[in-house]
Amino acid sequence: MELQNTGKGVLIPEQFKSWQNRPEWFFNREHTDTYELWYEGRYKRAEIWQKKVMEQLVAEDGRINKLLEFGCGTGRFTRWWHNIGIEAYGADISPLMLSQAIRLFPGDLVMADSHHMPFRDHTFDALAFITTFEYYKDPVKVICEAARVAKYGIAMGMMNRNSPKVLRRRVQQMFGKNPFYVTATFYTPAKLQKIIHEALEGRKYIIRWSATGLPKWFPVQQWNVPYGDFFGLYVQFLDVE
């Protein structure tokens, strides 16, 4: 299902506060309609470093010109990929998130499930997952689909399990104060690479990663140590021309 940017920003009637009565935060208007505000407020600094990490990782593969971001949400990073010179497209399963995206992103958007990507083999140079992979029920299948649709590589950015903030988030959940990570699975770079190896058995590739999301007072803000609130990872395929 391709979504046309009509400028109206409505995929389902505004009186519907949730989609199909699903409990996840990205299917509830209370959270989707204010999602952009998080990045404009307390997470602004974190976003800057996340983008630095992702740009560096993808730039090392000089073949990436056309990219699809799955789980694009409101198109926050999709717009950024476009701004740094990559032909970017977005896809998401939530019509509420996409209702925001079509107001903010001038490019093409698709409503689809990452477990069943409605694209032919090698449609894009790369696929990107930014703070969305944590919510997939079958991560191996998603990576297999990404490797089918993306010709040259897969970019992944996510919250790091090796962070004290994970404990804080889980405590908040216990008291019903943080709905955003109830269904999330947090990964470390090592755990994610294990899943990638399982999904890509038989393929030739290399993996690069870097972590950020360190305290402001810390002497470095990015490093190749698996600690920090966020890490970016890039899978570069070596068995394609």
Side-chain angles (χ1 to χ4, degrees):
M1 175 182 179
E2 184 174 334
L3 307 179
Q4 299 294 325
N5 189 342
T6 64
K8 297 179 181 180
V10 176
L11 295 182
I12 60 176
E14 292 189 6
Q15 64 266 29
F16 287 89
K17 301 304 180 183
S18 64
W19 175 246
Q20 298 179 340
N21 294 318
R22 295 186 61 167
E24 297 96 329
W25 69 268
F26 43 86
F27 288 116
N28 287 270
R29 194 181 295 279
E30 174 188 359
H31 305 300
T32 60
D33 288 6
T34 58
Y35 181 79
E36 287 279 327
L37 297 178
W38 286 90
Y39 281 105
E40 293 300 332
R42 59 186 299 184
Y43 291 109
K44 189 68 175 179
R45 176 178 168 274
E47 180 189 34
I48 291 171
W49 280 98
Q50 290 170 12
K51 288 177 176 178
K52 285 182 179 180
V53 167
M54 298 311 303
E55 183 174 9
Q56 290 169 8
L57 290 170
V58 173
E60 290 191 44
D61 187 345
R63 304 170 296 177
I64 308 305
N65 298 303
K66 184 178 179 181
L67 177 147
L68 171 69
E69 183 183 351
F70 234 104
C72 69
T74 62
R76 185 81 186 184
F77 271 77
T78 319
R79 303 195 300 272
W80 171 74
W81 292 117
H82 177 78
N83 290 339
I84 64 172
I86 295 176
E87 183 181 345
Y89 301 81
D92 203 284
I93 197 173
S94 168
L96 291 169
M97 283 294 226
L98 289 170
S99 290
Q100 299 296 314
I102 62 177
R103 295 191 302 105
L104 300 167
F105 178 60
D108 293 334
L109 299 163
V110 174
M111 182 173 157
D113 185 340
S114 59
H115 298 78
H116 308 280
M117 298 183 184
F119 301 101
R120 295 179 180 178
D121 296 0
H122 295 177
T123 299
F124 302 93
D125 295 331
L127 249 75
F129 302 99
I130 308 297
T131 61
T132 187
F133 195 81
E134 298 93 325
Y135 298 97
Y136 295 144
K137 295 181 179 179
D138 190 341
V140 170
K141 185 171 184 179
V142 172
I143 293 174
C144 288
E145 276 288 88
R148 178 184 65 79
V149 175
K151 185 175 183 179
Y152 298 125
I154 304 171
M156 310 173 83
M158 63 188 66
M159 299 298 103
N160 189 1
R161 187 173 179 178
N162 287 338
S163 169
K165 291 184 180 180
V166 171
L167 177 60
R168 185 187 69 185
R169 291 171 185 139
R170 293 310 188 196
V171 172
Q172 289 173 336
Q173 286 174 215
M174 292 173 59
F175 292 93
K177 294 183 178 181
N178 190 334
F180 299 103
Y181 303 106
V182 173
T183 58
T185 298
F186 293 106
Y187 297 93
T188 64
K191 183 178 180 181
L192 180 59
Q193 288 181 76
K194 183 178 180 181
I195 293 173
I196 291 170
H197 294 326
E198 179 182 351
L200 300 182
E201 184 177 0
R203 295 290 306 265
K204 293 182 179 180
Y205 56 91
I206 58 173
I207 294 176
R208 297 187 297 273
W209 64 269
S210 184
T212 185
L214 297 152
K216 189 176 182 179
W217 51 262
F218 204 70
V220 297
Q221 291 300 306
Q222 180 183 344
W223 60 0
N224 292 323
V225 177
Y227 296 96
D229 193 46
F230 178 94
F231 71 90
L233 181 149
Y234 184 73
V235 182
Q236 180 174 337
F237 297 127
L238 305 176
D239 52 3
V240 289
E241 297 182 358

